[in-house]
Amino acid sequence: MRGTALLFYILRRLLQTVPVVLGVVVLNFLLLQLAPGDLATVLAGEAGGAPKEYIDLLRQRFGQDQPVIVQLYRYMAGLLTLDLGYSFRQSAPVLQLLLDRLWPTLLLMGTTFLLSLGFGVTMGLLAALWVRTWKDHIVSVVAIIFYATPLFWVGLMLILLFSIKLGWFPTSGMEDVVAFNEGWDRVVDIAHHLVLPSITLSLFYLALYARLMRASMLEQRGLDYVTTARAKGLSERQITIRHVLRNALLPVVTMAGVQVGSLLGGSVIVESVFAWPGLGQLAYQSLFARDFNLLLGIFFLSSCLVVIVNLIVDVVYVLLDPRIRIG
Amino acid sequence: MMKSFSQRFLHNPLVIVGLSWLTLVLLVAVLADVLAPANPFAIVGKPFLPPAGDFLLGTDSLGRDVLGGLIHGARTTLLIAVLSTLAAVAFGALVGAVAGYYGRWIDDVLMRLTEFFQTIPSFLFALVLIAILSPSAMNLVIAIATVSWPPIARVVRGEVLSVKSREFVRAAIVAGQRDSAILISQVLPNTLSPLIVTGSLLVATAILVESALSFLGLGAPNQMSWGFMIGAGRSFMREAWWLVTVPGIVILLTVLSINLVGEGLNDALNPRLADA
């Protein structure tokens, strides 16, 4: 019974994402209208990017002589069938470029997500257990400093210390391409390259989750159910682990879902600092090539990614919180 | 006994530290032309002179004075951060107030819009906006404001909802005041304290976004800024560590100070929460 209810819940949430995706498409279209030149020239990568035949083809397809609303409809129909056009700067279909760069970004984001959530929750939990002691203060001070540090600067400082001075980690890239590693060696090589970028991207979120977790733990500890549990004779350890921790995690999970969009923005910076070959670096390149078609494709895909991750977080939330009834 | 606002606010040592640094940065930004009369892009000496020589913080790869750059950068960065926050607060407050006050379908539409802007990856959106509008100080303000108004709208809406059924608002309606007058003179003043806290924290975020954009080379052209200095120095980290390190510490201290002051404000304005 719970299974079908969950399925319906997922379907309903899926339906709710439709307006967001449509909204992004409309936003993309509006942005294209803002750019100098008509839709076809902008999409083709501005002057010199594309052969004239392709621009004429685009003009015809979007119906440049038609009212804007018709152009919007045709643009929308293109995007929603995943026809993201062609990038003449990179000489490849946009969709192909995006899919090639998706995995490095997902790897970086996934690692960061686990790292920041794991360490952030642990730090917040410990700070709450040590509340008002010097250990709690140290955690709080570290968190508030990480929270205020610019991402790109952390990355550069880590490179300065660990790559240039100590030589422990590579300065850039995702793997040693000339080594032609295969199998397990390749995994180790990529993990070695992943260390600094993922730490860089993690610090801010780690601080955010630690602060939130600490506050959430302290709030939960003062609630009636804790008194009940204590009256029932449970040990403090049991109360903390079985009751307080589970409830205190919920706001952190919500926040982690909310932060996915900002994580993607952060990965643009981190990828350009570490030359990590993901979507962020592609965005950075397309920005300066004025390859708007590719840039907007990245924006579209990233927004879809955020929507999907939010959906997953919501489902996890339902599974985690017994108070939420679905259906 | 409940202490007064200024007692609570100014007796917090972290707030004093934050306020001192911010006052210094603000003074430097205002007096930039007096403190460092030379154009920050001017070449004043040999490249890569280390700090504590002829130039207190050394020179960069082209022989430009790093301290002069920091001083003029303070002006650019602060100006863009403050202006974009003001724009975001104005727009967010308008959206939130209208949504909360009128309720029903207007509320629905405006809140869906707010959620939409919170869902899309905001830094990426700012990046796309700047790329399409072309980098300039004005466009930076527009882009940063466009991605930072949603939290303001939410805060103001929440406050308006809790205030609008109170007696003084009803009295104003009965007295025949117009909606706009009620919103401005009766409702909005009551949303002021959370608005100030959220707004002050937004300035910190705006500085981080502005620095990141300038670092990526999308900052205001021909204007020295902290992020730009780091971006320009990153290729020379091996030879000149101070080019990247020093501006980064300045950004860190400034953002940290704003956060400390913002949290101090929050504690002072909501004394009951702070005691909990």
Side-chain angles (χ1 to χ4, degrees), chain A residues 41-297:
Chain A
T41 47
V42 176
L43 282 185
E46 287 204 331
K52 194 173 175 306
E53 296 78 36
Y54 183 73
I55 297 184
D56 286 341
L57 190 78
L58 280 178
R59 284 220 172 93
Q60 204 181 358
R61 185 187 326 158
F62 292 116
Q64 293 289 305
D65 50 342
Q66 305 277 324
V68 175
I69 193 81
V70 176
Q71 295 183 34
L72 171 64
Y73 169 74
R74 294 191 177 180
Y75 179 75
M76 203 180 252
L79 269 196
L80 292 181
T81 50
L82 286 182
D83 174 11
L84 300 178
Y86 193 84
S87 165
F88 277 93
R89 302 285 160 130
Q90 308 261 352
S91 306
V94 169
L95 187 64
Q96 185 59 47
L97 286 167
L98 295 187
L99 291 179
D100 286 347
R101 299 296 194 103
L102 184 60
W103 294 112
T105 295
L106 285 182
L107 179 65
L108 178 63
M109 278 178 61
T111 314
T112 302
F113 196 77
L114 294 178
L115 217 61
S116 57
L117 208 55
F119 281 98
V121 164
T122 314
M123 270 173 72
L125 175 71
L126 291 175
L129 294 179
W130 295 328
V131 69
R132 282 173 221 278
T133 65
W134 61 271
K135 288 188 244 170
D136 172 33
H137 291 313
I138 287 182
V139 172
S140 299
V141 168
V142 168
I144 200 167
I145 290 177
F146 282 176
Y147 194 68
T149 316
L151 267 184
F152 54 92
W153 186 69
V154 179
L156 293 174
M157 288 296 108
L158 290 178
I159 291 179
L160 188 61
L161 181 62
F162 291 106
S163 303
I164 296 179
K165 299 279 181 224
L166 296 172
W168 290 355
F169 296 103
T171 53
S172 64
M174 189 169 87
E175 57 184 316
D176 195 353
V177 273
V178 286
F180 297 108
N181 288 320
E182 274 181 29
W184 185 244
D185 288 341
R186 189 165 176 232
V187 173
V188 172
D189 187 38
I190 291 179
H192 191 213
H193 281 78
L194 184 61
V195 174
L196 292 186
S198 55
I199 291 179
T200 304
L201 193 51
S202 297
L203 289 187
F204 173 85
Y205 301 99
L206 188 153
L208 183 70
Y209 302 146
R211 285 157 60 99
L212 193 64
M213 184 67 189
R214 177 180 178 276
S216 175
M217 284 286 294
L218 293 179
E219 189 198 335
Q220 291 292 331
R221 260 204 336 209
L223 294 183
D224 287 344
Y225 74 88
V226 177
T227 317
T228 312
R230 207 167 280 144
K232 212 169 76 173
L234 291 186
S235 71
E236 286 300 316
R237 194 189 171 79
Q238 282 173 310
I239 295 174
T240 303
I241 293 173
R242 206 178 297 165
H243 298 275
V244 179
L245 179 64
R246 259 186 87 175
N247 283 305
L249 267 177
L250 292 173
V252 183
V253 172
T254 308
M255 182 53 96
V258 171
Q259 293 300 325
V260 174
S262 114
L263 203 58
L264 267 163
S267 70
V268 177
I269 299 169
V270 171
E271 286 179 17
S272 68
V273 168
F274 288 95
W276 187 262
L279 283 177
Q281 201 199 29
L282 192 65
Y284 181 69
Q285 291 163 347
S286 59
L287 210 74
F288 289 96
R290 299 189 74 70
D291 190 344
F292 292 138
N293 200 18
L294 183 53
L295 189 58
L296 289 173

Side-chain angles (χ1 to χ4, degrees), chain A residues 20 23-24 27 31 144 148-150 152-153 156-157 211 261 265 268-269 272-273 284 287-288 290 292 302-303 306, chain B residues 116 119 121 123-125 128-129 131-132 212 215-216 218 230 234 237 244-245 248-249 251-252 255-256 259-260 263:
Chain A
V20 180
V24 174
L27 195 63
L31 287 167
I144 200 167
T149 316
F152 54 92
W153 186 69
L156 293 174
M157 288 296 108
R211 285 157 60 99
V268 177
I269 299 169
S272 68
V273 168
Y284 181 69
L287 210 74
F288 289 96
R290 299 189 74 70
F292 292 138
S302 308
S303 306
V306 172
Chain B
F116 174 74
T119 307
F123 184 74
L124 207 55
F125 183 41
V128 173
L129 266 179
I132 283 181
F215 168 75
L216 292 178
L218 290 173
I230 298 180
R234 66 180 279 200
M237 277 201 302
V244 166
T245 314
I249 293 174
I251 299 176
L252 168 59
V255 173
L256 185 64
N259 285 343
L260 291 177
E263 280 179 23

Side-chain angles (χ1 to χ4, degrees), chain B residues 84-164:
Chain B
S84 58
T85 303
L86 286 179
V89 166
F91 185 71
L94 182 73
V95 171
V98 169
Y101 190 74
Y102 290 104
R104 293 195 280 191
W105 67 269
I106 299 180
D107 185 27
D108 269 344
V109 170
L110 290 179
M111 280 303 111
R112 286 297 94 76
L113 190 72
T114 311
E115 275 168 24
F116 174 74
F117 273 89
Q118 280 192 307
T119 307
I120 57 176
S122 64
F123 184 74
L124 207 55
F125 183 41
L127 219 67
V128 173
L129 266 179
I130 302 262
I132 283 181
L133 295 173
S134 80
S136 76
M138 183 65 189
N139 289 338
L140 274 173
V141 170
I142 293 176
I144 299 174
T146 308
V147 299
S148 37
W149 62 269
I152 298 279
R154 281 173 168 266
V155 166
V156 170
R157 174 180 175 270
E159 292 295 310
V160 168
L161 279 180
S162 74
V163 167
K164 77 169 178 185

Side-chain angles (χ1 to χ4, degrees), chain B residues 51 164 197 241 266:
Chain B
K164 77 169 178 185
V197 171
W241 55 270
N266 191 31

Side-chain angles (χ1 to χ4, degrees), chain B residues 231-253:
Chain B
R234 66 180 279 200
S235 319
F236 310 105
M237 277 201 302
R238 244 172 247 277
E239 302 89 350
W241 55 270
W242 62 91
L243 294 183
V244 166
T245 314
V246 177
I249 293 174
V250 171
I251 299 176
L252 168 59
L253 285 178

